[in-house]
Amino acid sequence: MTTSSEDVLLQVPQVRYKKGDGTLFLMDQRLIWMVENRDTVALRKFPQKEKLKYNYKLCFIMVSRRRFILPIVDRELEEKNKLLSSNPALLQLYKDLVMTEVVSSEEFWAQHASQYTQKQKQQPQDIGVSGAFLADIKPQTDGCNGLKYNITPDIIECIFKTYPAVKKKYVENVPAKLSESQFWTKFFQSHYFHRDRKYAESKDLFTECGKIDDQEMKKDIQSGVSDPLVNITEFEDKTLDEGYGVATEKTNVNIGTVSQAMIKRFNQHSIMVLKATKKSSEQNETEVKNAPKHNGNVNEVEKADEGHVAKKQRIQSKITYDDLDTGNDNSNVSGTSLNLSKVERYLHGPMPDSSIEQLNPNEASTVLRGVLQETRQWQSRHPTSSLVSPAAAVGALGELSPGGALMRGFQEQSLAQLVPSDIENEVRNLYLALCELLSHFWKCFPPNTPNLEQKAVKMHEALHRYHTAKLKPFEDKLIRELSPLSHHLTKHLNQLLNAAYQKFSNWQKIKNR
Amino acid sequence: MNNLEIPPEVTPEFTSTDETSLLVIIVDSNPSQKMLRDNPHVLTHCIDSVIAFANSHLMQKAQNKLAVMACHSKTSEFIYPGPNKPLDIRQIDGQYEVFTAVERTVKQNLAKLLVNEKSTLVTESLLAGAIAMALCFIARIQRTKAPGSRLNSRILVVTGSGDSASQYMNYMNVFFTAQKQGIVIDVCALDQHLSLLQQGCDITGGLYLKVPQLQGLLQYLLWVFLPEPPIRQKLVLPPPVKVDYRAACFCHRELIDIGYVCSVCLS
């Protein structure tokens, strides 16, 4: 079976057939069920012309009729499971809404999870190359003066991404001339890797790589930076000279070659890294555009035009501030002038009008007379009159003691401390679920189309179900466990629900008129 | 000889016993307040409670100071220390002369004030102006106090009037001035809820209390307003209730949550 000329088109493990577990192979010409490499039971031969018509799903339907019990590999279910496991918020919503039968499962996936499923379709970002990946390949000493490097396919890919010259060499040499391990051994031994840069002498596989790199660098330097607003040649260190003038440091051309080589290596590495990332983004762009331009001349001319326009745009964007300029630009369009209807309202302050009455003279005189009578009694002292009756005093003290009527402010502050954290979590989940339902409900209004009307009715029923299935049990639980808090915590939730019910009943009334 | 020696590295604490406490009580004596129109005897009750409270304040420390003002729709006046020369008091009933002086002076001056009230009555009292006068008085006392002594001041407003919309700007001015000067404004509301004065209490760190029943007024005053500000931190007093800081729209005079603000005058 190892050198069979048939291709295995599909392989499904753990299939049950006639009381045994095995693997089902769908080959080019045959359908085979195999138990642990021992017996093969050739089951069906596909006639030549029909085999192309079969798609795998039909095959399985056929197969299932022959008393196969297949594990249900529903791709959609797998996706859903993955979504749920990677998004804890979605999982919580699912638990709250679907498991308590407030919203059916299809509705859930259609409405509530739609933004999550769409997110997946976006392209995931490529993981970039870490800057230190070469340094991370820590060699292990092999005991007797040798070093052992462990390279994973990931590392190999990183090396290829960063050093395309190495990739070229690899393609040329492996597996024709060298085996993989030999290639990599040579790589690490090469002076290319160790970068002492006296590579002109040794006849290494990789000396060419160094030369190729140098050529690339020269080409890059000559082509220069395409951005017209960046002037690299003017990059110099300017330091303070005597008398606070500006002095440019003259670079010493005769710097030792070692440090020059280091600088060269760093620059090269940076350029490679940039190129590696640019490549992947360019590939994406060309895929999207779907119309690669082949004509070189057209390309350049267009690029020049675009460059000109882009340069102007960039300069323009740097010298203008949007919010400061609108005044100058719209001088001909005057804003609406401010019409103040009652100016004196602005002079006196914004307090809501409270009733200030003037007493009519009769009332005024009565009041005055009463007050003056009182004052006449003030001349003589009544030392025996008590100012506060004991009952009133005790009542006042009761209100002012902790827990009294006037000391309620403390209760508000400590509400956060009185609520245990699991109740807090439950309240949070209740809010999430309810807000999700309510957002769909309110989106249905005003119901212009029959679709929206239906949806409104359905959401209303869902809200009712939510109320009975989730909110009421929670309130009952609260009353049993934490009686003083029961109303505070769910008051707002009830308010939200009542507003929705009200809107719905109003709408029904209007509709049925 | 046991001489208590304070070790040199411990600086002697400045306790509240060294501080002078100045209390200015502003009594709203407008006869047209609703509670007085219903029952004029309330005025006597209030005045008696306030006098007892004032005397208790003087009793806390020998160096405590007191001032009482009366305020209504046309004027605000100091009734203790009064404009006239101090009364000649002799001891009666074993009462401490200062207390007798306070009681007599306050009642006399207030009666005089009410007798002179002739013209039409308006239900609004000029409390902002009274607070401003109290602030000036406190500033004067602070200027003339002995060097090295400390003074904490507070203003207690006892009123049965409602909020007056027209004094909004003046209220804001005095509140911010008091906050700047470190003067605490307490408010004891006898009849109606005063949202504006409540804001003032909030800004200056004072206490706002709406008295549930007038019978126990003295008890409330003694419990809540008697301790001076430095001591209040160590006591459990009614916590500040959430203040309604919503601004009101200048053109419609309604309280709003979201609105437009002029960048110049913030209205």
Side-chain angles (χ1 to χ4, degrees):
Chain A
M1 280 296 282
T2 50
T3 50
S4 97
S5 51
E6 302 178 25
D7 293 325
V8 179
L9 292 173
L10 186 63
Q11 185 178 337
V12 182
Q14 290 176 336
V15 174
R16 225 163 212 271
Y17 179 66
K18 288 188 183 162
K19 293 187 186 165
D21 270 342
T23 318
L24 181 70
F25 289 95
L26 177 66
M27 310 287 219
D28 219 22
Q29 315 243 356
R30 293 184 292 171
L31 188 64
I32 292 183
W33 183 72
M34 202 153 76
V35 176
E36 294 175 25
N37 273 334
R38 280 190 284 121
D39 301 316
T40 68
V41 178
L43 294 167
R44 189 173 166 85
K45 261 198 153 172
F46 296 156
Q48 204 56 7
K49 35 181 193 228
E50 279 183 41
K51 77 175 173 197
L52 294 172
K53 283 198 231 164
Y54 285 72
N55 72 17
Y56 299 122
K57 228 178 180 178
L58 273 180
C59 202
F60 280 123
I61 295 174
M62 251 179 31
V63 159
S64 62
R65 284 200 219 120
R66 299 173 119 249
R67 289 178 282 129
F68 278 104
I69 303 170
L70 291 166
I72 301 172
V73 180
D74 187 356
R75 278 207 72 208
E76 281 187 31
L77 203 63
E78 245 187 51
E79 265 186 36
K80 287 178 187 171
N81 277 337
K82 215 171 63 159
L83 260 185
L84 282 182
S85 55
S86 56
N87 277 315
L90 192 62
L91 183 63
Q92 189 60 44
L93 262 185
Y94 187 80
K95 272 193 214 157
D96 282 337
L97 293 179
V98 177
M99 300 207 172
T100 54
E101 290 184 28
V102 176
V103 168
S104 77
S105 176
E106 301 97 39
E107 279 178 19
F108 177 77
W109 288 110
Q111 295 179 7
H112 303 282
S114 51
Q115 31 164 209
Y116 289 96
T117 46
Q118 273 168 15
K119 253 195 228 171
Q120 286 220 324
K121 292 187 190 146
Q122 295 168 357
Q123 226 174 10
Q125 279 181 328
D126 283 329
I127 302 178
V129 177
S130 114
F133 74 92
L134 275 181
D136 284 338
I137 316 171
K138 295 192 182 70
Q140 303 162 350
T141 48
D142 209 354
C144 39
N145 219 16
L147 293 169
K148 194 164 142 192
Y149 285 94
N150 275 332
I151 321 180
T152 63
D154 273 340
I155 297 182
I156 293 180
E157 201 176 305
C158 291
I159 295 181
F160 285 163
K161 250 205 241 176
T162 328
Y163 301 110
V166 173
K167 184 171 184 183
K168 242 185 10 179
K169 286 283 172 181
Y170 181 84
V171 162
E172 286 169 21
N173 293 320
V174 170
K177 296 181 202 157
L178 300 168
S179 80
E180 271 216 49
S181 53
Q182 281 174 331
F183 177 79
W184 289 115
T185 325
K186 283 214 151 203
F187 173 72
F188 284 113
Q189 282 174 348
S190 75
H191 287 288
Y192 181 70
F193 183 65
H194 290 286
R195 300 292 186 142
D196 280 331
R197 284 298 170 179
K198 303 281 186 197
Y199 52 83
E201 299 136 15
S202 66
K203 316 254 177 24
D204 212 328
L205 199 55
F206 294 95
T207 55
E208 265 198 48
C209 295
K211 292 200 185 116
I212 293 175
D213 278 345
D214 268 351
Q215 281 170 359
E216 285 275 334
M217 278 269 283
K218 280 211 187 100
K219 207 169 58 168
D220 282 336
I221 292 174
Q222 274 170 356
S223 66
V225 179
S226 56
D227 194 347
L229 293 177
V230 175
N231 197 348
I232 290 195
T233 52
E234 287 297 316
F235 283 175
E236 271 178 340
D237 282 330
K238 294 199 169 73
T239 56
L240 285 181
D241 206 353
E242 283 182 22
Y244 293 106
V246 172
T248 56
E249 277 189 13
K250 310 265 185 310
T251 51
N252 217 344
V253 189
N254 300 327
I255 299 179
T257 42
V258 175
S259 44
Q260 221 178 18
M262 283 272 274
I263 294 177
K264 195 164 149 192
R265 254 175 73 192
F266 282 135
N267 286 338
Q268 230 171 28
H269 181 73
S270 314
I271 292 180
M272 298 271 207
V273 165
L274 281 178
K275 275 203 197 152
T277 51
K278 241 197 262 178
K279 243 188 266 177
S280 54
S281 62
E282 271 173 11
Q283 275 172 8
N284 290 346
E285 281 177 19
T286 49
E287 278 170 18
V288 168
K289 279 186 197 157
N290 260 351
K293 297 194 174 113
H294 295 291
N295 196 348
N297 290 340
V298 172
N299 225 357
E300 279 177 23
V301 168
E302 280 184 4
K303 259 199 205 155
D305 275 347
E306 281 173 13
H308 196 59
V309 169
K311 177 174 167 186
K312 249 197 163 168
Q313 271 177 2
R314 279 179 62 185
I315 294 180
Q316 197 67 19
S317 69
K318 287 205 193 271
I319 60 176
T320 53
Y321 284 110
D322 279 332
D323 43 0
L324 293 180
D325 268 350
T326 45
N328 296 337
D329 291 343
N330 304 340
S331 50
N332 39 354
V333 180
S334 61
T336 50
S337 57
L338 191 59
N339 282 330
L340 297 177
S341 50
K342 288 201 186 159
V343 184
E344 61 272 5
R345 284 188 185 162
Y346 292 90
L347 302 172
H348 289 305
M351 280 303 294
D353 272 327
S354 49
S355 56
I356 301 175
E357 349 150 355
Q358 265 204 353
L359 298 181
N360 55 8
N362 284 340
E363 216 186 329
S365 51
T366 341
V367 167
L368 260 184
R369 243 180 300 141
V371 165
L372 287 177
Q373 204 172 15
E374 285 294 317
T375 56
R376 266 173 239 132
Q377 294 178 8
W378 290 349
Q379 302 309 317
S380 54
R381 290 185 74 221
H382 301 271
T384 52
S385 65
S386 71
L387 285 174
V388 183
S389 71
V394 170
L397 278 182
E399 286 165 358
L400 289 170
S401 320
L406 293 174
M407 308 289 273
R408 282 292 156 76
F410 289 131
Q411 211 180 46
E412 278 177 17
Q413 292 165 6
S414 59
L415 188 68
Q417 297 155 4
L418 282 179
V419 177
S421 59
D422 54 345
I423 303 262
E424 203 186 308
N425 279 335
E426 268 197 62
V427 173
R428 185 183 302 140
N429 292 335
L430 282 175
Y431 262 101
L432 282 176
L434 182 62
C435 291
E436 179 69 31
L437 290 175
L438 281 175
S439 72
H440 283 281
F441 175 77
W442 285 108
K443 277 192 208 150
C444 304
F445 285 90
N448 298 325
T449 70
N451 255 351
L452 281 178
E453 289 183 9
Q454 262 182 20
K455 192 170 170 201
V457 172
K458 260 200 317 187
M459 291 314 299
H460 178 77
E461 286 166 17
L463 284 176
H464 269 296
R465 283 200 297 263
Y466 172 84
H467 197 151
T468 44
K470 295 230 77 181
L471 193 53
K472 286 244 174 67
F474 180 69
E475 281 177 345
D476 292 335
K477 184 174 139 188
L478 273 186
I479 291 178
R480 276 197 318 262
E481 296 180 12
L482 295 170
S483 53
L485 294 178
S486 55
H487 296 294
H488 290 284
L489 286 180
T490 53
K491 196 163 88 157
H492 185 238
L493 287 171
N494 283 322
Q495 269 176 352
L496 293 173
L497 274 175
N498 286 335
Y501 293 154
Q502 187 78 22
K503 177 81 182 177
F504 188 77
S505 64
N506 286 344
W507 174 58
Q508 292 287 50
K509 269 191 232 155
I510 295 177
K511 212 172 72 154
N512 296 336
R513 241 190 246 154
Chain B
M1 260 311 237
N2 289 337
N3 281 335
L4 273 180
E5 283 190 26
I6 304 176
E9 53 280 0
V10 174
T11 50
E13 268 181 23
F14 233 148
T15 60
S16 61
T17 51
D18 302 331
E19 247 180 76
T20 311
S21 183
L22 168 58
L23 169 66
V24 181
I25 308 178
I26 300 177
V27 180
D28 185 357
S29 58
N30 193 347
S32 52
Q33 282 170 73
K34 187 170 173 303
M35 63 178 189
L36 289 186
R37 274 182 282 158
D38 297 339
N39 179 11
H41 183 65
V42 167
L43 182 63
T44 316
H45 179 74
C46 285
I47 289 294
D48 285 337
S49 306
V50 165
I51 291 173
F53 170 74
N55 287 338
S56 324
H57 171 76
L58 288 175
M59 197 162 64
Q60 300 285 310
K61 271 181 278 182
Q63 62 264 52
N64 276 358
K65 300 191 205 296
L66 173 74
V68 182
M69 294 175 65
C71 146
H72 46 131
S73 50
K74 298 270 177 345
T75 66
S76 310
E77 277 190 20
F78 276 92
I79 51 182
Y80 178 87
N84 314 320
K85 68 182 187 57
L87 296 173
D88 188 22
I89 302 291
R90 270 180 293 146
Q91 213 207 48
I92 302 175
D93 274 347
Q95 189 183 30
Y96 181 35
E97 286 90 340
V98 177
F99 296 166
T100 320
V102 168
E103 192 180 345
R104 286 262 189 90
T105 319
V106 166
K107 286 190 172 168
Q108 215 174 55
N109 288 341
L110 187 55
K112 226 188 288 182
L113 193 63
L114 287 172
V115 163
N116 293 336
E117 179 75 38
K118 285 190 188 49
S119 43
T120 54
L121 298 175
V122 182
T123 51
E124 190 188 343
S125 302
L126 298 176
L127 283 173
I131 299 178
M133 285 173 70
L135 287 174
C136 294
F137 178 80
I138 294 175
R140 192 221 328 158
I141 299 293
Q142 274 182 344
R143 266 201 314 266
T144 56
K145 75 178 195 303
S149 62
R150 300 208 316 179
L151 176 71
N152 68 62
S153 349
R154 63 195 196 274
I155 301 175
L156 171 64
V157 179
V158 181
T159 172
S161 316
D163 254 337
S164 64
S166 54
Q167 295 182 53
Y168 179 82
M169 294 299 197
N170 305 346
Y171 274 133
M172 288 302 138
N173 283 337
V174 296
F175 291 156
F176 284 111
T177 310
Q179 185 196 33
K180 230 13 195 333
Q181 300 289 320
I183 297 170
V184 169
I185 297 184
D186 297 323
V187 170
C188 182
L190 303 175
D191 197 21
Q192 300 167 47
H193 179 66
L194 306 166
S195 60
L196 209 46
L197 286 173
Q198 194 182 20
Q199 287 182 33
C201 293
D202 209 40
I203 295 175
T204 55
L207 285 168
Y208 170 85
L209 179 71
K210 179 172 176 316
V211 171
Q213 33 120 350
L214 267 181
Q215 290 310 308
L217 175 62
L218 179 59
Q219 183 63 58
Y220 290 113
L221 288 176
L222 288 175
W223 185 272
V224 178
F225 296 113
L226 191 58
E228 49 191 278
I231 303 183
R232 283 182 192 177
Q233 303 160 9
K234 304 176 188 164
L235 299 173
V236 176
L237 294 169
V241 189
K242 212 158 79 90
V243 184
D244 185 3
Y245 272 121
R246 275 182 305 164
C249 164
F250 268 71
C251 32
H252 298 92
R253 299 262 178 100
E254 287 167 11
L255 292 177
I256 53 174
D257 286 321
I258 303 177
Y260 289 99
V261 176
C262 166
S263 49
V264 174
C265 63
L266 294 182
S267 64

